[in-house]
Structures are given as structure tokens and as C-alpha cells.
Amino acid sequence: GAVVSQHPSWVICKSGTSVKIECRSLDFQATTMFWYRQFPKQSLMLMATSNEGSKATYEQGVEKDKFLINHASLTLSTLTVTSAHPEDSSFYICSASGGRAEFSEQYFGPGTRLTVT
Amino acid sequence: GQNIDQPTEMTATEGAIVQINCTYQTSGFNGLFWYQQHAGEAPTFLSYNVLDGLEEKGRFSSFLSRSKGYSYLLLKELQMKDSASYLCAVRPGGYQKVTFGTGTKLQVIP
């Protein structure tokens, strides 16, 4: 199956700093990438959807100026958490899909665990 | 809005069969997914249903009834490694975005 990687797998940063998370589709071209956040014992919450070459679409309640998403190529999307605070500590997961919009399975990356101290 | 309901937790015995139910109320429907997620890991794809009926894939089967807004995931010959959370996700429209349920945590006991 298709492989999606994320880097880093975990990161600890100080409050007020910015963190960039990379999501790559390794063996297919991802026309759409999704960014999710998952708090302990909760389900995945979609943060934003990004299509290659266009601006990301953010879900209600997600600050686009705080969570910067760039989808510059068909194999790479980045999420930058700006001015991170302890409440941003979470498990961030990206997924990627390609092909026809009617049915496109999402392939998930392994996730990035962010801890803000 | 979108609403997806699953039981929070289930326990089943190794070697047995377990059925995890999912009901949904969404503004549209263009497919239902089941994912498995082990603690601390990302979800992995199990199945996809868009038409009514049963889809079988090895020890896992998934059923869909669109008129009832209902699906279930059936796991046969349970193994200890099947202990995980199982997420039901619905794609409301033609757009690829899906909405996830809160997941069912399955514990398999000896």
C-alpha cells in the first residue's frame, strides 16, 4: 500500500517557539493532504485540508494564522505550529490521498507527538 | 452537522467473534470507512463501504445499510493483537473530507 511519512515523530519545544512538521507521500502523488489533531482518548479532529498549489481550507475553530499549512508539491505538506503553547500539545497526524475524488482512501502518516513545555 | 456514534469500549475473548456498531447522521453520504488504531499510533485502513451489503476481507467484514444509517465491523477469530481502537468514519459528500467517530476501544482477553 501507499506510504506516508511524517517528521519528526516527536518533538518537545518551549512555549512561544514555532514547530514545523513535515508530511510526505513516498510512493504516490497526493493531490490532497489532511491534517488532524488527536488529544488523549479522543478521536481524530480534522484541522485543515490542503490541495497542492492552493491555500488550505481550515475547519471551524482552527486558527489559520497559528497553524500554517503549506502544500508546495504533490508529495510534501508542512504544518507549522506558530507561537506554541502547552495547550497545543497533542498528537498531530497527516493523511494523504490521490486519485479520483469519488473514492480516495486516506493513507495516514505515523503521527507526530508534540509536547510544549 | 455530522454525528457518528460508536460504543466507547468493548471486551471480547480470544478466538471469539465481535461486532462493533456505528450509526451516523450526516448531511450526505459518499462512503463509510473503518480504521484500526493502536495506542500511540496512526490509524490504518480496514475497509470501505459505499453500497449496502457486506464486504469481507479475511477475518474482518464490514456491513452497511444506508437507509438505516448503520454499519458494523465484524472481527472473527479474535487475536490478542486485535486489541485497539476501531474508528468509524463517514464521507458526507463528493469531497474527500471524512468525519471520524470517537472510536471503540476493543480489549481482547485470553
Side-chain angles (χ1 to χ4, degrees):
Chain A
V3 179
V4 176
S5 70
Q6 273 184 250
H7 178 80
S9 55
W10 60 270
V11 57
I12 301 173
C13 70
K14 292 186 177 181
S15 185
T17 61
S18 295
V19 174
K20 179 184 284 188
I21 302 171
E22 292 186 350
C23 176
R24 293 181 185 271
S25 57
L26 299 185
D27 51 3
F28 70 103
Q29 293 185 326
T31 52
T32 306
M33 287 187 171
F34 303 87
W35 286 95
Y36 294 86
R37 181 166 51 181
Q38 186 176 34
F39 293 105
K41 298 185 179 181
Q42 295 186 22
S43 191
L44 281 74
M45 297 300 296
L46 180 65
M47 300 175 67
T49 304
S50 73
N51 292 291
E52 184 265 338
S54 61
K55 290 184 178 180
T57 301
Y58 290 80
E59 294 300 300
Q60 192 172 9
V62 178
E63 300 175 58
K64 61 180 180 181
D65 294 329
K66 180 172 179 64
F67 298 99
L68 303 178
I69 292 173
N70 184 286
H71 192 164
S73 75
L74 285 172
T75 59
L76 173 65
S77 176
T78 61
L79 167 68
T80 301
V81 183
T82 62
S83 187
H85 291 285
E87 57 265 31
D88 298 324
S89 298
S90 186
F91 192 44
Y92 290 86
I93 307 173
C94 74
S95 71
S97 66
R100 295 172 55 195
E102 294 79 42
F103 167 55
S104 292
E105 176 185 336
Q106 290 188 34
Y107 299 95
F108 284 87
T112 297
R113 189 161 300 283
L114 170 64
T115 302
V116 184
T117 60
Chain B
Q2 326 296 347
N3 190 40
I4 301 174
D5 290 314
Q6 302 179 238
T8 305
E9 296 180 343
M10 299 183 71
T11 301
T13 306
E14 189 177 15
I17 300 173
V18 70
Q19 178 175 311
I20 302 174
N21 296 323
C22 171
T23 57
Y24 62 90
Q25 300 91 38
T26 55
S27 54
F29 181 82
N30 193 29
L32 185 144
F33 300 81
W34 283 96
Y35 287 87
Q36 179 191 62
Q37 185 179 26
H38 285 98
E41 299 180 9
T44 55
F45 171 80
L46 290 179
S47 68
Y48 170 74
N49 295 70
V50 67
L51 299 176
D52 291 348
L54 187 68
E55 294 281 342
E56 296 186 77
K57 189 184 294 185
R59 294 191 299 116
F60 295 78
S61 302
S62 58
F63 171 84
L64 174 67
S65 169
R66 289 172 295 171
S67 62
K68 296 182 179 179
Y70 168 69
S71 173
Y72 67 73
L73 180 69
L74 193 70
L75 291 77
K76 304 176 183 177
E77 301 171 12
L78 280 173
Q79 302 175 10
M80 299 300 291
K81 66 178 183 180
D82 297 329
S83 293
S85 288
Y86 291 85
L87 308 176
C88 173
V90 175
R91 180 161 58 206
Y95 189 47
Q96 296 175 30
K97 182 171 71 173
V98 299
T99 300
F100 283 84
T102 53
T104 299
K105 185 176 181 180
L106 173 67
Q107 183 182 14
V108 180
I109 58 176

